[in-house]
Amino acid sequence: MNERYDGLLMVMIGVVAILLLSWRLNRWLMSPASSQLPGVPINESIQDHPAIELMEQEGFEVIGGKVKINLTFDTDELPLYSRLFIDYVVTDGRGDLYLVKLSRERKHLDWTGSGIRDRLMPFMLMYPECAGMLYIDMNENVIRRVTMDWSDEEWIGNDE
């Protein structure tokens, strides 16, 4: 009689194990794609620049140097290639990560909502685990912290 209970117990353990495995597999397959993207790229090679001293004075620690992000866009005719550049990756005193873009003479950033959206938002969407971006204007020796939040306001029609 004990052998019958042993067999029944083994079948129940097997069923529970199969249910747990199938639940975990389903949860893994249904996890959002953003958790499967690579994390923030960190380039160990950090080239010296006056911006590093400015960031350190403001309490940031530089943990990564310039990174090139290659992009490919598939179109009907042919693939198109482009790239984005991150100048530095830094962390603040609380451990939050920030991507850094340095100002460029040839690529002036318009400090408007659309200007920031067009130039900086792709980085914030690619790496949502970052707390934001730092835009460093070396002409004015100023660091501007840019973060993004979704607005609940709905826009319908023309803005007047």
Side-chain angles (χ1 to χ4, degrees):
M1 190 139 156
N2 283 340
E3 293 142 10
R4 199 167 101 191
Y5 288 124
D6 288 345
L8 183 61
L9 183 61
M10 293 301 284
V11 168
M12 288 178 61
I13 290 173
V15 168
V16 168
I18 290 172
L19 287 174
L20 277 173
L21 285 174
S22 63
W23 175 73
R24 288 294 296 162
L25 179 66
N26 184 42
R27 190 169 159 200
W28 175 68
L29 289 174
M30 296 302 171
S31 64
S34 63
S35 67
Q36 297 170 0
L37 290 175
V40 177
I42 305 289
N43 180 3
E44 302 285 329
S45 172
I46 301 171
Q47 293 185 357
D48 197 28
H49 191 277
I52 293 177
E53 185 178 325
L54 183 61
M55 288 185 283
E56 288 174 348
Q57 288 174 356
E58 294 291 325
F60 295 100
E61 178 188 353
V62 179
I63 60 172
K66 186 174 216 104
V67 175
K68 178 173 74 169
I69 303 163
N70 294 315
L71 303 171
T72 302
F73 300 97
D74 291 323
T75 64
D76 290 336
E77 293 89 36
L78 62 142
L80 300 173
Y81 304 97
S82 186
R83 58 194 175 270
L84 292 172
F85 292 94
I86 298 170
D87 293 311
Y88 295 100
V89 178
V90 300
T91 183
D92 63 3
R94 297 186 317 241
D96 292 333
L97 286 177
Y98 288 89
L99 304 175
V100 177
K101 288 293 290 176
L102 299 177
S103 63
R104 304 274 191 260
E105 290 291 328
R106 296 180 298 148
K107 285 188 137 183
H108 180 70
L109 175 62
D110 292 329
W111 284 99
T112 62
S114 60
I116 292 172
R117 176 199 65 213
D118 293 344
R119 289 279 308 280
L120 301 180
M121 188 175 74
F123 298 101
M124 291 189 253
L125 292 177
M126 286 176 61
Y127 303 108
E129 62 269 22
C130 287
M133 292 198 67
L134 301 180
Y135 186 82
I136 301 178
D137 190 338
M138 290 307 298
N139 293 332
E140 298 178 17
N141 278 343
V142 66
I143 297 177
R144 296 183 177 169
R145 189 182 312 224
V146 180
T147 59
M148 183 179 78
D149 196 10
W150 299 101
S151 175
D152 291 337
E153 182 179 329
E154 190 172 315
W155 180 73
I156 300 173
N158 296 328
D159 241 358
E160 294 180 25

